[in-house]
Amino acid sequence: MEFSAQVPRRRLGADGPEVPIFGLGSWNTWDRMESGEAAALIRRAVDLGVNLFDVAHYNFGPHAENAVTDLIFGRAVREAGVAREDYLLCGKFWLWDYPTTSFAEQIELSLSRIGTDRADSVVAGDFLGELDIRSVVTDVAELVRAGWFTTWGVNNWSAADLRFAREFALAEGMVPPTFAQLKYSLARRSVPEGEPYGRLFDDGLGLQASDVFEGGILAGKLHPERKIGADPGGIRDRIRASYPEAERVAERFGATAAQLAIAFCLTHPAAATVLFGVSGGRQLDDNLGALDLLARHGDELRPAVEGLWIDRDVVRPDASWDTDAPERG
């Protein structure tokens, strides 16, 4: 069914901007379609109010892939005739090579590849081992002051690290991270719904849900050929085995499994945006059908999918994406 309404917007954290509740990701997305198809998809998404695009330069650390998805996105935006002021761009800083590769170098390179001179928000990505959080906050604040972007968040940090970053920024009069981009899905709930992050959400932090389909598995692509994200807790096979139940629950509500996965994330009280990747207008329309499911059955979704929570008692609620990391000060 073709979607025709305007997608609603929510505030990205108590002090953040208003954003559409759906955003389009870039990892292994734009490089899966022809440029004309990508331009048509971007044009349709923006016309429907889905004008938030999470775009990164994937050539750092585990993502040292020399990917061109960001280049394709930049060309497609121009081909679609979408003006810069008509869309929101969320970029990424990678921490694996930081501070050897500075944030200033990263943002300049990333934006030049897209073909613009500014982002709207930036996410400080995953990291392994120790990190000088004070330096991260200070360096990000310098780039905010320089006008590269206005809002920032973090990607799959532990709640303890994020709380430290927010408290340090506020104490020093700098812009704090206002949102967390977290793995969140029917199967992965322990971190976004745990008490440590719950206290941050109570304090006004916003949630940006990512990897909601587990690389496509929870949308029915049980054996994705493309590279997909990390597997905290080693539960991917169990998630794959749970898909038939997700499909049965969705069918009870007259929806697809993909719509169920998206609508579920939007029931989180702090959720501002659900990020997903699509490869065409038809798939975008199908995903946006999650709004109808949410409107019709929003109060029923959580109890209906309780049995699909796979990482319960497997991943600690204060863990980062890769490990049950101890708290750091």
Side-chain angles (χ1 to χ4, degrees), residues 215-229:
I217 292 171
L218 290 172
K221 299 177 182 177
L222 299 186
H223 299 280
E225 295 180 358
R226 65 183 180 87
K227 182 179 179 180
I228 61 178

Side-chain angles (χ1 to χ4, degrees), residues 251-273:
E251 288 175 352
R252 277 173 32 208
F253 292 126
T256 66
Q259 291 166 352
L260 176 66
I262 294 169
F264 164 77
C265 291
L266 288 172
T267 66
H268 192 295
T273 299

